[in-house]
Amino acid sequence: MTVTTMTDWTRARPQPNWLARLFDYKPFLVVACLTPALGLLLVFLTYPLGLGIWLSFTDTKIGRTGEFVGLDNFEYLLSDPQFWSAVFYSVFYTAVATFGKFALGLWLALLLNNHVPFKSLLRAIILLPWIVPTVLSALAFWWLYDPQFSIFSYLAIDILHIRKTPFDFLSTIWPARWSLIAANIWRGIPFVAISLLAGLQTISPSLYEAALLDGSTAWQRFRYITFPLLLPILAIVMTFSIIFTFTDFQLVYAITRGGPLNSTHLMATLAFQRGISGGELGEGAAIAVAMIPFLVAATLFSYFALARRKWQQGEAND
Amino acid sequence: MATVDIRDVRKAFGPFEVLHGVSVAIADGEFVVLVGPSGCGKSTLLRMLAGLENITSGEIAIGPKVVNNVPPKDRDIAMVFQNYALYPHMTVFDNMAFSMTLAKAPKALMEQEVNRAAKILGLEQLLQRFPRQLSGGQRQRVAMGRAIVRNPQVFLFDEPLSNLDAKLRVQMRSEIKELHQRLKVTTVYVTHDQIEAMTMADKIVVMNGGNIEQIGAPLELYDRPANVFVAGFIGSPAMNILKGTVANGSLRTDDGTNWPLPTGLKNAKEGPAVYGVRPEHLRIDGNGGIPATVQVVEPTGSETQVLMKIGSQTMVGAFRERVTAKPGEILPVRPDPALVHLFDQQSGQRL
Ligand SMILES: Nc1ncnc2c1ncn2[C@@H]1O[C@H](COP(=O)(O)OP(=O)(O)O)[C@@H](O)[C@H]1O
Ligand SMILES: [Mg+2]
C-alpha cells in the first residue's frame, strides 16, 4: 500500500489557454477596450461635428452639394443684424435664466433641506417640470401666454378686476423675451434644486451644530459653511445649466418660433431656421459653429472652477 | 468657569422618553464623566446642556442662571464632537479662530488667542493645514483647540477619543486630563468606556437606560458600587456576579458552592441574594480554597487572567502571581471577604 503524504501532492498550476493569455496581453487589451468607445465617439460625435464645421465653410443648400467658400458665411453673418440679435438674446437669455434658476433653485433646496412636512411629496412635485417633456410644457406655456385665453389675463380681468385688456405676452419684443425666460426658469429649477439639495445633504449636521455653539447667526452659517461647501457642486451644476440654456431650442421654437420680428431667436433656433427651414445649410451650420466659442468658454469655466480645491485633497474628515 | 446644575431633567423624542428624570450637581472646575452603555442617553443629556436639544421637562442651570430657554450661542459653552466637526474648507488657524471671526474680533487678538491655544496643544506647525491633511490625533487636538480659544464657562466632550487607535487614546486621555488641570474649566465628558471614566474623572455619573445608577468618585464606585449594574459596569475585567441564597453566614449557590459573606455583613438577612467578587479579589489558596477548573490562562505579564469554572459558574480570576496551571487542572481559590459585595436579588441594590 502506498502512503500518500501531503508533500507528494502539488497543487496543479492552472495553464492559461490562448484566450486567457490574449486577454492578459496589455497592448491587445488597450486596443480591445478603446475601440468601442472610440468608434462610438467617431460615429456619433466627431463625424457630425466635423461635418457641421465643414458645412459652415461651404455654400451647401438643401438638395445641392456646395463648394468650399472659405469664411464667406461668417463674413456674411458678421454684417447680419439678425445674427447679432440672436447672439445678444442667447447671452441675455442664458444669463438671466441661469441667475433666476440658481436663485430660486438654491432657495428651494435650502427650504427642502430643513424639516418640512411632506418632504418627499414636495420633492416629487418639484421634479415635475423637469419630467414633463419640454414640448409639452412649451405647449402649456403657449396656452398660458395666449393673447385671448391666457389664465393670467383671465385672473387680472375677470377675478381681480385690475385690467381691462388681456396681457400681451408674445406679440411685442421685450414681453416675448421675458416670457420665454420665465418658461425656461420654470423648467430649469428642478434640476438645480435637486442637485443642490443632494449637495446640501452631504454637509454634516454637526458642522452646523459646531457653528451654532461658536455663536453664528443663520446668515453666517450660510456664508461661512453652506456656501463654501456647496461651491464645488454649484460650479458643476452651473456649467451644465449654462450649456443647456445656451443651446436651448425646443422652448423657443415651440412657443414663439423666434418671433415677433425675429426678436426671440436664439442661435440654435436661428441656425435651424436658416439651415433647415430656409435650406441654406452652409449658413445655418456657420451659426451653429459660432456657438462653439461660447460653449468652450462655459466648459473652461467648469474646468477651472471644478479643479479640486486645496481643502478637498487628502483623506476624508470622518 | 461655572457650576452646572441638572435638576430632574427629562427628554422625550415624540412619545419615547429617553431620559427619565436625571439630576447632577457639578461643582466649579470639576471634571465629570457621564458613562454608560451605548444608547443610555449620555449624548442626549450633553446636547441638552449645550442647547442643541430642547429640554422636555426639568431645569438646567449654568452658574446661577437657568438656561432652558437660552440659545446655544449665549450659553458660553464649547463642545468637542465625536467626529470633531472641523470645518473642512478652513485651515487649522481658521477653524480655531472661527468663533472670533464670527464675533468680528480684531486680527491681532485673534492671532494671540489662536497661538496661545496652539501652543498648549502643540499645533504651532500645523496652523496652515486643512483638516484633511491631519492625522486623527491632530484633528482631535484641533477640535480641542477650537474649544480652548472660546475660553468658555464649560467644556463638553462627546466620546472624543472613540475614533482614535488604542495607543493614541491612552495618550490623549492624559493630555485632556492635564489640560483640565491647567485650565481648571468645568468639564463634562461623555464616554462609554469605563476605563476612560475611571482614569479621568473627578466624579463619575453612571447612566443606564435613561436613569442615573450612581454618582461618585471613581474609587468610590469601584469600592462600593450601589447596585449590580454599577458593579458589573465598573472594573475590568468585569466583576463576577453569582446568584444564591444567604444561609448560616455564607452564600450558597444552586450548584452547592459556599461563598464567605462580606466582612460587615456576617449577619445578613437570610434569603436570595446576589454575590459579587472582582477577579482581582480572588486569591489562590491551597488550604480550603474553592476548587476551580482552569479553562483558559491569559498571562499579560503584570498579572495573569484565568477563565475558570466553579460549580456550573464561569468566573474570571486575575492573579498577581504567575499561574502555571494548565487547562483542566484544579486551582483552589478563595475570595477576600473584606472586598466582596452583596446585593439584593429583587432590587439589585447593595446590602
Ligand atoms: N433625534 C432623535 N430622535 C429619536 N430618538 C433619538 C434621537 N436621538 C437619540 N435618540 C434615542 O435616544 C436614546 C439615547 O441616545 P444617545 O443619547 O445618543 O445615547 P448614547 O449617547 O448614550 O449612546 C437612544 O435610544 C436613541 O435611539
Ligand atoms: Mg453618544
Side-chain angles (χ1 to χ4, degrees):
Chain A
M1 217 170 85
T2 53
V3 180
T4 316
T5 62
M6 287 299 281
T7 47
D8 288 344
W9 180 81
T10 47
R11 180 182 295 277
R13 281 181 157 263
Q15 280 301 316
N17 62 9
W18 66 270
L19 197 64
R21 279 203 305 274
L22 186 61
F23 276 101
D24 274 346
Y25 182 54
K26 202 162 175 191
F28 170 79
L29 213 60
V30 169
V31 173
C33 291
L34 279 180
T35 309
L38 280 179
L40 283 175
L41 277 176
L42 271 175
V43 174
F44 293 109
L45 230 78
T46 319
Y47 173 70
L49 187 65
L51 185 64
I53 293 175
W54 165 249
L55 281 176
S56 70
F57 293 110
T58 67
D59 60 356
T60 311
K61 295 194 190 336
I62 288 184
R64 198 199 78 192
T65 349
E67 283 171 21
F68 184 77
V69 294
L71 291 172
D72 277 8
N73 285 327
F74 294 98
E75 272 167 25
Y76 171 74
L77 285 177
L78 283 181
S79 58
D80 176 6
Q82 221 180 70
F83 170 73
W84 284 113
S85 153
V87 171
F88 162 75
Y89 186 54
S90 291
V91 172
F92 182 76
Y93 182 84
T94 307
V96 176
T98 304
F99 179 80
K101 275 183 257 195
F102 275 78
L104 293 172
L106 181 59
W107 176 70
L108 258 181
L110 289 171
L111 213 65
L112 281 181
N113 196 35
N114 287 323
H115 293 286
V116 284
F118 309 111
K119 199 153 147 178
S120 38
L121 186 71
L122 271 177
R123 276 185 208 174
I125 291 177
I126 282 185
L127 269 179
L128 272 182
W130 201 51
I131 294 167
V132 180
T134 313
V135 173
L136 210 64
S137 51
L139 280 178
F141 269 96
W142 193 52
W143 271 107
L144 287 176
Y145 293 154
D146 189 274
Q148 285 177 39
F149 304 111
S150 165
I151 179 112
F152 299 122
S153 302
Y154 171 73
L155 278 176
I157 299 170
D158 294 345
I159 310 283
L160 297 172
H161 303 292
I162 50 171
R163 272 181 80 100
K164 293 266 182 290
T165 53
F167 287 110
D168 159 37
F169 286 108
L170 299 179
S171 58
T172 40
I173 295 179
W174 279 100
R177 286 178 167 171
W178 285 109
S179 301
L180 287 177
I181 288 175
N184 183 280
I185 290 178
W186 179 82
R187 255 196 82 70
I189 285 177
F191 175 66
V192 175
I194 296 295
S195 314
L196 294 188
L197 182 60
L200 285 176
Q201 284 174 339
T202 63
I203 302 178
S204 158
S206 61
L207 293 185
Y208 292 111
E209 290 176 347
L212 208 61
L213 291 175
D214 274 342
S216 59
T217 60
W219 164 247
Q220 285 172 324
R221 281 194 293 285
F222 176 77
R223 164 148 165 17
Y224 289 110
I225 296 179
T226 311
F227 189 71
L229 289 177
L230 206 55
L231 211 52
I233 200 160
L234 201 77
I236 306 184
V237 178
M238 187 169 285
T239 309
F240 275 100
S241 173
I242 287 176
I243 292 175
F244 290 151
T245 315
F246 194 79
T247 56
D248 194 12
F249 172 85
Q250 299 182 63
L251 265 184
V252 172
Y253 198 75
I255 297 179
T256 66
R257 299 199 174 240
L261 300 172
N262 288 324
S263 63
T264 58
H265 264 309
L266 296 170
M267 292 173 84
T269 56
L270 189 66
F272 182 81
Q273 199 194 38
R274 295 276 173 88
I276 309 295
S277 314
E280 301 276 355
L281 279 179
E283 201 183 315
I287 298 174
V289 167
M291 294 168 76
I292 292 177
F294 293 97
L295 296 177
V296 168
T299 315
L300 280 183
F301 165 76
S302 83
Y303 179 79
F304 287 112
L306 295 185
R308 275 168 79 80
R309 284 165 183 72
K310 202 160 164 236
W311 60 264
Q312 289 178 299
Q313 273 148 25
E315 234 184 296
N317 185 25
D318 36 41
Chain B
M1 280 180 278
T3 59
V4 174
D5 223 345
I6 299 169
R7 302 186 200 112
D8 195 26
V9 160
R10 286 166 191 275
K11 175 70 187 180
F13 290 107
F16 303 106
E17 196 175 78
V18 298
L19 287 176
H20 314 291
V22 299
S23 305
V24 187
I26 298 170
D28 190 8
E30 203 169 22
F31 196 114
V32 171
V33 175
L34 303 181
V35 68
S38 260
C40 70
K42 311 175 296 283
S43 296
T44 305
L45 184 58
L46 197 74
R47 292 165 57 80
M48 288 162 88
L49 197 51
L52 298 174
E53 301 278 359
N54 55 14
I55 298 166
T56 306
S57 79
E59 264 183 1
I60 293 182
I62 296 174
K65 188 174 169 198
V66 173
V67 294
N68 285 30
N69 296 315
V70 177
K73 69 187 174 83
D74 299 328
R75 291 192 184 192
D76 203 1
I77 268 180
M79 181 157 168
V80 175
F81 292 81
Q82 179 172 355
N83 62 0
Y84 316 138
L86 299 180
Y87 309 118
H89 57 298
M90 297 184 199
T91 59
V92 169
F93 182 95
D94 291 338
N95 261 284
M96 286 168 62
F98 189 56
S99 58
M100 299 182 82
T101 310
L102 294 177
K104 303 195 169 59
K107 199 108 197 136
L109 183 66
M110 209 138 88
E111 270 174 23
Q112 179 193 324
E113 287 298 302
V114 172
N115 286 333
R116 177 181 68 96
K119 200 160 170 198
I120 294 178
L121 295 162
L123 287 171
E124 295 107 318
Q125 305 305 316
L126 304 175
L127 288 177
Q128 293 316 315
R129 298 238 195 130
F130 288 97
R132 285 194 170 227
Q133 302 164 323
L134 302 177
S135 70
Q138 291 168 334
R139 287 178 198 170
Q140 162 68 54
R141 256 180 234 148
V142 175
M144 281 173 18
R146 195 166 63 181
I148 293 173
V149 169
R150 290 275 313 282
N151 215 345
Q153 301 258 32
V154 183
F155 275 128
L156 305 181
F157 291 85
D158 191 354
E159 312 222 8
L161 306 185
S162 55
N163 289 354
L164 302 181
D165 62 57
K167 195 165 168 196
L168 205 51
R169 200 146 55 206
V170 174
Q171 182 194 335
M172 290 307 294
R173 204 158 78 190
S174 37
E175 275 188 34
I176 293 178
K177 183 82 186 147
E178 194 199 18
L179 188 71
H180 174 254
Q181 278 155 6
R182 174 130 55 131
L183 303 176
K184 298 192 173 59
V185 176
T186 313
T187 301
V188 183
Y189 184 106
V190 162
T191 178
H192 63 265
D193 178 356
Q194 58 91 20
I195 298 198
E196 247 169 60
M198 293 293 283
T199 48
M200 299 173 81
D202 292 328
K203 184 156 92 187
I204 297 181
V205 178
V206 183
M207 294 179 65
N208 183 30
N211 289 306
I212 290 182
E213 296 282 353
Q214 189 174 4
I215 301 179
L219 293 180
E220 201 177 309
L221 301 195
Y222 179 86
D223 291 338
R224 292 185 56 83
N227 51 48
V228 177
F229 178 80
V230 177
F233 192 79
I234 299 286
S236 167
M239 186 188 281
N240 299 297
I241 307 271
L242 311 166
K243 279 189 177 157
T245 317
V246 175
N248 310 325
S250 71
L251 178 119
R252 191 179 171 79
T253 57
D254 292 343
D255 52 38
T257 327
N258 282 307
W259 296 85
L261 289 185
T263 325
L265 286 172
K266 285 279 181 260
N267 306 315
K269 186 165 65 73
E270 307 217 330
V274 175
Y275 189 85
V277 54
R278 294 194 184 278
E280 56 272 35
H281 297 153
L282 285 172
R283 313 258 186 267
I284 298 176
D285 182 353
N287 342 305
I290 301 167
T293 315
V294 174
Q295 290 186 310
V296 179
V297 181
E298 297 176 337
T300 62
S302 61
E303 61 172 28
T304 310
Q305 287 179 20
V306 181
L307 187 71
M308 51 203 177
K309 201 140 193 158
I310 298 179
S312 58
Q313 192 94 31
T314 303
M315 296 183 70
V316 178
F319 306 105
R320 304 300 303 184
E321 61 265 50
R322 304 222 159 155
V323 178
T324 49
K326 299 266 174 309
E329 288 178 18
I330 303 289
L331 201 66
V333 298
R334 175 200 297 285
D336 184 341
L339 298 172
V340 299
H341 311 267
L342 201 60
F343 305 95
D344 185 72
Q345 208 173 80
Q346 284 273 296
S347 65
Q349 295 302 308
R350 180 182 194 85
L351 290 174

